[in-house]
Amino acid sequence: AQPTCHECYYNIGFAYLQKKDEKQAEANWTKGLEQKPDHAETLTALATLYNTQKRFDEAAAVSAKVSASSAGGNADAIYNQGIILWNAGKIAEAKAKFEETVAASPTHADARFQLGMALINEGKIPEAVASFEEYMKLAPTGQFAAQAKAMLSQLKPPVR
């Protein structure tokens, strides 16, 4: 009824995703982006879909458009770029995105956790410990809290 309604395509795509019909979700989000190419929610949904499908290059390209469409770089969009890069095995590039996220939003807890993981990968244990400790201050019951506690118990020397 409203072929130029980008929000409609976004919502239809979301409904298809809930039904586990990724092909139709992608098709509707693509139609929505034809109407409004910089719609951040649609771009983010499409990037997330591509990431879960292990289409990392496409996910990174779409995610970059989210950052470009957000004034000054949206911290969540930058974080999502980092996750996509991490999943693609591009750890150094992911670390840079997590650092960029923290610079844009110092209270972005999940970026602190992921930065800690990247720092461990580089063998920078004291820096990783600091990043996990900051995560625990920001999100003591967050989605990575158990992992962060476990990492801290393994990485920190026991107090005597």
Side-chain angles (χ1 to χ4, degrees), residues 6-7 10 32-33 36-45 66 69:
H6 70 278
E7 285 284 343
Y10 169 76
L33 291 172
K36 186 170 181 174
D38 64 346
H39 188 247
E41 288 85 0
T42 303
L43 289 165
T44 299
V66 178
S69 73

Side-chain angles (χ1 to χ4, degrees), residues 85-117:
L85 291 164
W86 182 273
N87 290 340
K90 299 177 180 179
I91 306 304
E93 293 173 57
K95 178 185 172 232
K97 290 298 178 184
F98 299 140
E99 290 171 332
E100 189 178 338
T101 303
V102 169
S105 176
T107 59
H108 198 291
D110 291 354
R112 296 279 183 174
F113 175 81
Q114 295 296 347
L115 179 57
M117 296 302 288

Side-chain angles (χ1 to χ4, degrees), residues 51 54-57 59-60 80-96 98 114 117-118 121-122:
N51 188 40
K54 300 187 185 331
R55 295 163 62 183
F56 300 125
D57 290 340
N80 287 338
Q81 285 181 303
I83 292 297
I84 291 165
L85 291 164
W86 182 273
N87 290 340
K90 299 177 180 179
I91 306 304
E93 293 173 57
K95 178 185 172 232
F98 299 140
Q114 295 296 347
M117 296 302 288
N121 194 58
E122 293 180 342

